Amino acid sequence: MHKTITLNINGRDYFVSIKSSDTLQDVLRDKLGLTGTKKGCELGVCGACTVIIDGKTMNSCIILAETVQGKKIETIEGIKKDTDLHPIQKSFVEHGAIQCGYCTPGMIMSAKALIDKNPKPTRDEIKEGLSGNICRCTGYTKIIEAVEDWQKFKRSGAKIKHEDDLDKFQTVGKSMPRVDAYDKVTGSAKYTGDFKFPGMLVGKILKR
Amino acid sequence: MKIPGIKLHNAADLANACSLLEKYGESAKALAGGTDLVVDLKQKRAVFEHIVVLGGIAGLDEIKLRKGILQIGALTSLASLAESRIIKKHLPALSDAASTMATPQVRNMGTIGGNVAMAVPSADLPPTLIAANARIITDSPTGSRIIPIREFFTGPRKTVLGAAELIREIEIDVPPANSGLSYKKFQLRNSAALAVVGVAASLVVEDGKISDACIVLGAVAPTPLIAVKASRSLIGAKPDFEAFANAGKIACEEGKPISDIRGSKEFRCRLIGVLTRRALEEANGRIRTAPKRRKN
Ligand SMILES: Cc1cc2nc3c(=O)[nH]c(=O)nc-3n(C[C@H](O)[C@H](O)[C@H](O)COP(=O)(O)OP(=O)(O)OC[C@H]3O[C@@H](n4cnc5c(N)ncnc54)[C@H](O)[C@@H]3O)c2cc1C
């Protein structure tokens, strides 16, 4: 049975038709197309689906969507201002704190919640703050450095190195951000599970 | 991973939640933070049609200190427990236990009431609550009752709670200054890992000698287990390494661990000894005043 609920996501009210059994992750990804919130373990362990609810990080995969009506939900799609990346996103790009990028949105949400509360976290506080986010490329060092360094990018309009050169192919001999870094820190990068086509068939591997 | 069809009922208050549970009987379950229940529903380990949502009930997530009694609302999050100034000051072992649990995200969602009611043998809060002699205050359609936590757990995922009975609050008398309490957990990682063994230990010291002790073992039996002999071995002893190590040795024999993916039975037995000793040492270090001299 479907019912319509209102969810406040990134400062905007969404009216959305859901089933009571839908998780917030299902609704964000499947109903609203906000696929920056990733699907990892689906059991509240890996942190890929981390969102911020009323200022606190939570795993959207184990939250029933209906229970978060009336709360302020922030997702990776909502933390940049217009085209200006959030300082944490800039720092991730600049530090190359991104490999495959699948854990990146969740990492950034945890990092944002951390610095919102504690703008100058120590290395140990950063490790603790990110301890609910698993990176299987195991690029933790650069991620921690990116969070440590975020204040550098705090000034609004602060640019990441060579940002203006990105589209101009003036890159030879320069250290450049990864070509897909922008998409990966904003949640707009598409992974296999993020695609949706009309009439799409979904296969499942059955292990024995 | 889809949850089969469910219907949510938002409880206005705890009495309303209890009557909803009574109305829907076996097909209903209460939902607090959902970090156990939603996972179980997803894995089809639990099947319930009616979910009674407690999250909207006001006033159940507060930590208060009143007349020497700590009152912790059932919906208090694990993160609040870990960070609470009141708990850190009066019962640091409980905030330590909470901060070893799960991940920051799960600690923001999960509640003390859920952890206790779930009664998983490896749960991190029960050993400390038992060593601190906590009382579970419940509501149900037939009224309210106070359950000493030592009588609460009856088996893995089993408690004395009735089907329509819910925890309102957990009460703990503030431990006296000449006592100390500690929780030590061994886990395979520092995050998102359940206890391989958890040990809570409390000590009361008078005139330089231990006058009371309670060692509680977690994850080594179907329910949290009070190591009675090990606790008794400490009474009258000087609070020193030798007494603590000896208690650890005795505690090893009292645990009834099984082998599973987190550790073998033998490994767990060794851990009990080490963690018991360490918990006792820390508990002893937390005793704040010089032992009181009796007047006569
Ligand atoms: C990734 C992950 C890691 C975890 N790590 C740990 C860990 O390290 N240590 C640990 O101990 N646990 C751990 N847990 C388990 C869980 O997070 C805790 O047990 C948590 O405290 C459960 O609380 P909850 O509010 O989420 O419970 P819920 O899932 O909402 O409820 C759990 C059960 O308790 C009942 N219940 C809830 N509130 C009440 C109440 N007031 N009165 C009566 N019954 C009630 C529910 O009906 C349900 O049966 C982990 C879970 C996850 C997903």
Short mmCIF file of all heavy atoms in Angstrom, two decimals, chain B residues 116-123 126-127 130 152-159 216-226 254-258 268:
data_model
loop_
_atom_site.label_atom_id
_atom_site.label_comp_id
_atom_site.label_asym_id
_atom_site.label_seq_id
_atom_site.Cartn_x
_atom_site.Cartn_y
_atom_site.Cartn_z
N VAL B 116 19.18 -2.93 25.60
CA VAL B 116 18.83 -3.77 26.74
C VAL B 116 17.71 -4.75 26.36
O VAL B 116 17.80 -5.95 26.62
CB VAL B 116 18.42 -2.88 27.95
CG1 VAL B 116 17.85 -3.72 29.07
CG2 VAL B 116 19.64 -2.09 28.44
N ALA B 117 16.66 -4.23 25.68
CA ALA B 117 15.51 -5.08 25.35
C ALA B 117 15.88 -6.18 24.36
O ALA B 117 15.33 -7.27 24.38
CB ALA B 117 14.38 -4.23 24.77
N MET B 118 16.85 -5.89 23.49
CA MET B 118 17.25 -6.86 22.46
C MET B 118 17.93 -8.07 23.08
O MET B 118 17.84 -9.18 22.56
CB MET B 118 18.21 -6.14 21.50
CG MET B 118 18.41 -6.82 20.19
SD MET B 118 16.89 -6.82 19.22
CE MET B 118 17.31 -8.11 18.07
N ALA B 119 18.64 -7.85 24.19
CA ALA B 119 19.24 -8.94 24.97
C ALA B 119 20.14 -9.86 24.16
O ALA B 119 20.16 -11.08 24.35
CB ALA B 119 18.14 -9.75 25.68
N VAL B 120 20.90 -9.27 23.26
CA VAL B 120 21.91 -10.06 22.53
C VAL B 120 23.04 -10.37 23.52
O VAL B 120 23.44 -9.50 24.29
CB VAL B 120 22.42 -9.24 21.32
CG1 VAL B 120 23.61 -9.90 20.66
CG2 VAL B 120 21.29 -9.03 20.32
N PRO B 121 23.55 -11.61 23.53
CA PRO B 121 24.58 -11.95 24.53
C PRO B 121 25.81 -11.05 24.50
O PRO B 121 26.43 -10.83 25.53
CB PRO B 121 24.96 -13.39 24.18
CG PRO B 121 23.76 -13.94 23.47
CD PRO B 121 23.14 -12.78 22.75
N SER B 122 26.16 -10.52 23.33
CA SER B 122 27.36 -9.68 23.24
C SER B 122 27.06 -8.20 23.45
O SER B 122 27.95 -7.37 23.29
CB SER B 122 28.01 -9.86 21.87
OG SER B 122 27.13 -9.40 20.86
N ALA B 123 25.83 -7.85 23.80
CA ALA B 123 25.47 -6.43 23.94
C ALA B 123 26.40 -5.75 24.94
O ALA B 123 26.76 -6.33 25.96
CB ALA B 123 24.02 -6.29 24.38
N PRO B 126 24.60 -4.02 28.87
CA PRO B 126 24.14 -4.79 30.03
C PRO B 126 25.19 -5.12 31.10
O PRO B 126 24.89 -4.94 32.29
CB PRO B 126 23.54 -6.05 29.40
CG PRO B 126 23.03 -5.56 28.07
CD PRO B 126 24.07 -4.57 27.62
N PRO B 127 26.42 -5.54 30.75
CA PRO B 127 27.34 -5.87 31.85
C PRO B 127 27.54 -4.72 32.83
O PRO B 127 27.48 -4.90 34.06
CB PRO B 127 28.64 -6.24 31.12
CG PRO B 127 28.19 -6.73 29.79
CD PRO B 127 27.01 -5.87 29.43
N ILE B 130 24.47 -4.10 34.92
CA ILE B 130 24.32 -5.12 35.97
C ILE B 130 25.28 -4.82 37.13
O ILE B 130 24.89 -4.83 38.30
CB ILE B 130 24.54 -6.53 35.40
CG1 ILE B 130 23.42 -6.87 34.42
CG2 ILE B 130 24.62 -7.57 36.53
CD1 ILE B 130 23.65 -8.15 33.62
N PHE B 152 16.48 -9.50 34.69
CA PHE B 152 15.88 -9.09 33.42
C PHE B 152 16.13 -10.06 32.26
O PHE B 152 15.24 -10.37 31.48
CB PHE B 152 16.39 -7.70 33.05
CG PHE B 152 15.70 -7.07 31.87
CD1 PHE B 152 14.44 -6.49 32.02
CD2 PHE B 152 16.29 -7.06 30.62
CE1 PHE B 152 13.79 -5.91 30.93
CE2 PHE B 152 15.65 -6.48 29.53
CZ PHE B 152 14.40 -5.90 29.69
N PHE B 153 17.36 -10.56 32.16
CA PHE B 153 17.74 -11.38 30.99
C PHE B 153 17.50 -12.86 31.28
O PHE B 153 17.93 -13.38 32.28
CB PHE B 153 19.21 -11.16 30.65
CG PHE B 153 19.53 -9.72 30.33
CD1 PHE B 153 20.17 -8.91 31.27
CD2 PHE B 153 19.18 -9.17 29.11
CE1 PHE B 153 20.44 -7.58 30.99
CE2 PHE B 153 19.44 -7.85 28.82
CZ PHE B 153 20.08 -7.05 29.76
N THR B 154 16.80 -13.52 30.33
CA THR B 154 16.49 -14.94 30.57
C THR B 154 17.11 -15.86 29.53
O THR B 154 17.14 -17.07 29.71
CB THR B 154 14.96 -15.15 30.58
OG1 THR B 154 14.42 -14.62 29.36
CG2 THR B 154 14.31 -14.44 31.76
N GLY B 155 17.64 -15.32 28.46
CA GLY B 155 18.29 -16.14 27.43
C GLY B 155 18.72 -15.26 26.29
O GLY B 155 18.51 -14.04 26.35
N PRO B 156 19.36 -15.85 25.25
CA PRO B 156 19.76 -15.02 24.12
C PRO B 156 18.52 -14.38 23.50
O PRO B 156 17.57 -15.08 23.15
CB PRO B 156 20.41 -15.99 23.13
CG PRO B 156 20.45 -17.32 23.80
CD PRO B 156 19.63 -17.27 25.04
N ARG B 157 18.48 -13.08 23.40
CA ARG B 157 17.35 -12.33 22.86
C ARG B 157 16.05 -12.58 23.63
O ARG B 157 14.96 -12.49 23.08
CB ARG B 157 17.14 -12.67 21.37
CG ARG B 157 18.33 -12.27 20.51
CD ARG B 157 18.22 -12.80 19.11
NE ARG B 157 19.36 -12.34 18.34
CZ ARG B 157 19.29 -11.39 17.39
NH1 ARG B 157 18.16 -10.84 17.09
NH2 ARG B 157 20.38 -11.01 16.75
N LYS B 158 16.19 -12.96 24.90
CA LYS B 158 14.99 -13.19 25.73
C LYS B 158 15.08 -12.43 27.04
O LYS B 158 16.12 -12.42 27.69
CB LYS B 158 14.86 -14.68 26.04
CG LYS B 158 14.46 -15.53 24.85
CD LYS B 158 13.76 -16.82 25.34
CE LYS B 158 13.35 -17.67 24.16
NZ LYS B 158 14.52 -18.43 23.61
N THR B 159 13.96 -11.81 27.39
CA THR B 159 13.92 -11.06 28.66
C THR B 159 12.59 -11.34 29.36
O THR B 159 11.73 -12.03 28.81
CB THR B 159 14.00 -9.54 28.42
OG1 THR B 159 12.76 -9.10 27.83
CG2 THR B 159 15.15 -9.16 27.52
N VAL B 216 31.00 -8.81 35.91
CA VAL B 216 29.97 -9.29 34.99
C VAL B 216 30.60 -9.55 33.63
O VAL B 216 31.28 -8.68 33.07
CB VAL B 216 28.82 -8.28 34.84
CG1 VAL B 216 27.66 -8.90 34.07
CG2 VAL B 216 28.34 -7.80 36.20
N LEU B 217 30.37 -10.75 33.09
CA LEU B 217 30.97 -11.13 31.82
C LEU B 217 29.93 -11.06 30.70
O LEU B 217 28.81 -11.56 30.86
CB LEU B 217 31.51 -12.57 31.91
CG LEU B 217 32.33 -12.91 33.16
CD1 LEU B 217 32.73 -14.40 33.14
CD2 LEU B 217 33.58 -12.03 33.23
N GLY B 218 30.31 -10.43 29.59
CA GLY B 218 29.42 -10.37 28.43
C GLY B 218 29.99 -11.18 27.28
O GLY B 218 31.21 -11.35 27.19
N ALA B 219 29.13 -11.69 26.43
CA ALA B 219 29.50 -12.44 25.21
C ALA B 219 30.10 -13.81 25.49
O ALA B 219 30.69 -14.42 24.60
CB ALA B 219 30.45 -11.62 24.33
N VAL B 220 29.96 -14.30 26.71
CA VAL B 220 30.53 -15.62 27.00
C VAL B 220 29.50 -16.60 27.56
O VAL B 220 29.85 -17.67 28.06
CB VAL B 220 31.71 -15.55 28.00
CG1 VAL B 220 32.85 -14.75 27.40
CG2 VAL B 220 31.29 -14.96 29.33
N ALA B 221 28.24 -16.24 27.48
CA ALA B 221 27.16 -17.11 27.97
C ALA B 221 25.87 -16.63 27.31
O ALA B 221 25.85 -15.57 26.70
CB ALA B 221 27.08 -17.01 29.50
N PRO B 222 24.79 -17.40 27.43
CA PRO B 222 23.53 -16.99 26.79
C PRO B 222 23.02 -15.63 27.28
O PRO B 222 22.33 -14.92 26.56
CB PRO B 222 22.55 -18.10 27.19
CG PRO B 222 23.41 -19.28 27.50
CD PRO B 222 24.69 -18.73 28.06
N THR B 223 23.34 -15.28 28.50
CA THR B 223 22.99 -13.96 29.03
C THR B 223 24.25 -13.39 29.68
O THR B 223 25.21 -14.13 29.92
CB THR B 223 21.91 -14.06 30.14
OG1 THR B 223 22.47 -14.80 31.23
CG2 THR B 223 20.64 -14.73 29.64
N PRO B 224 24.27 -12.09 29.98
CA PRO B 224 25.40 -11.57 30.76
C PRO B 224 25.49 -12.39 32.04
O PRO B 224 24.48 -12.76 32.63
CB PRO B 224 25.01 -10.13 31.06
CG PRO B 224 23.90 -9.79 30.14
CD PRO B 224 23.25 -11.04 29.72
N LEU B 225 26.74 -12.66 32.46
CA LEU B 225 26.92 -13.62 33.55
C LEU B 225 27.69 -12.96 34.69
O LEU B 225 28.76 -12.39 34.48
CB LEU B 225 27.73 -14.79 32.99
CG LEU B 225 27.97 -15.97 33.89
CD1 LEU B 225 26.71 -16.85 33.88
CD2 LEU B 225 29.16 -16.79 33.38
N ILE B 226 27.14 -13.05 35.90
CA ILE B 226 27.88 -12.54 37.06
C ILE B 226 28.87 -13.62 37.48
O ILE B 226 28.47 -14.76 37.75
CB ILE B 226 26.94 -12.18 38.22
CG1 ILE B 226 25.93 -11.12 37.75
CG2 ILE B 226 27.73 -11.68 39.43
CD1 ILE B 226 24.96 -10.66 38.82
N GLU B 254 34.50 -19.47 35.17
CA GLU B 254 33.06 -19.27 35.33
C GLU B 254 32.35 -18.98 34.00
O GLU B 254 31.15 -19.24 33.87
CB GLU B 254 32.79 -18.13 36.32
CG GLU B 254 33.11 -18.55 37.74
CD GLU B 254 32.73 -17.47 38.74
OE1 GLU B 254 31.56 -17.38 39.11
OE2 GLU B 254 33.65 -16.69 39.13
N GLY B 255 33.08 -18.44 33.04
CA GLY B 255 32.46 -18.13 31.74
C GLY B 255 32.12 -19.42 31.01
O GLY B 255 32.74 -20.46 31.24
N LYS B 256 31.09 -19.34 30.14
CA LYS B 256 30.73 -20.52 29.35
C LYS B 256 30.73 -20.15 27.87
O LYS B 256 29.71 -20.26 27.20
CB LYS B 256 29.34 -21.02 29.75
CG LYS B 256 29.20 -21.33 31.24
CD LYS B 256 27.76 -21.74 31.56
CE LYS B 256 27.56 -21.99 33.04
NZ LYS B 256 27.38 -20.74 33.81
N PRO B 257 31.88 -19.71 27.36
CA PRO B 257 31.88 -19.21 25.99
C PRO B 257 31.74 -20.32 24.95
O PRO B 257 32.04 -21.48 25.23
CB PRO B 257 33.24 -18.53 25.85
CG PRO B 257 34.11 -19.18 26.86
CD PRO B 257 33.23 -19.61 27.97
N ILE B 258 31.27 -19.93 23.79
CA ILE B 258 31.24 -20.84 22.65
C ILE B 258 32.28 -20.35 21.63
O ILE B 258 32.79 -19.24 21.74
CB ILE B 258 29.85 -20.84 21.96
CG1 ILE B 258 29.41 -19.41 21.63
CG2 ILE B 258 28.81 -21.54 22.81
CD1 ILE B 258 28.27 -19.32 20.65
N ARG B 268 38.51 -16.99 24.07
CA ARG B 268 37.61 -16.20 24.91
C ARG B 268 37.92 -16.41 26.40
O ARG B 268 37.88 -15.47 27.19
CB ARG B 268 36.16 -16.56 24.64
CG ARG B 268 35.60 -15.93 23.38
CD ARG B 268 34.08 -16.04 23.39
NE ARG B 268 33.48 -15.07 22.49
CZ ARG B 268 33.03 -15.37 21.27
NH1 ARG B 268 33.14 -16.60 20.80
NH2 ARG B 268 32.49 -14.44 20.52
#
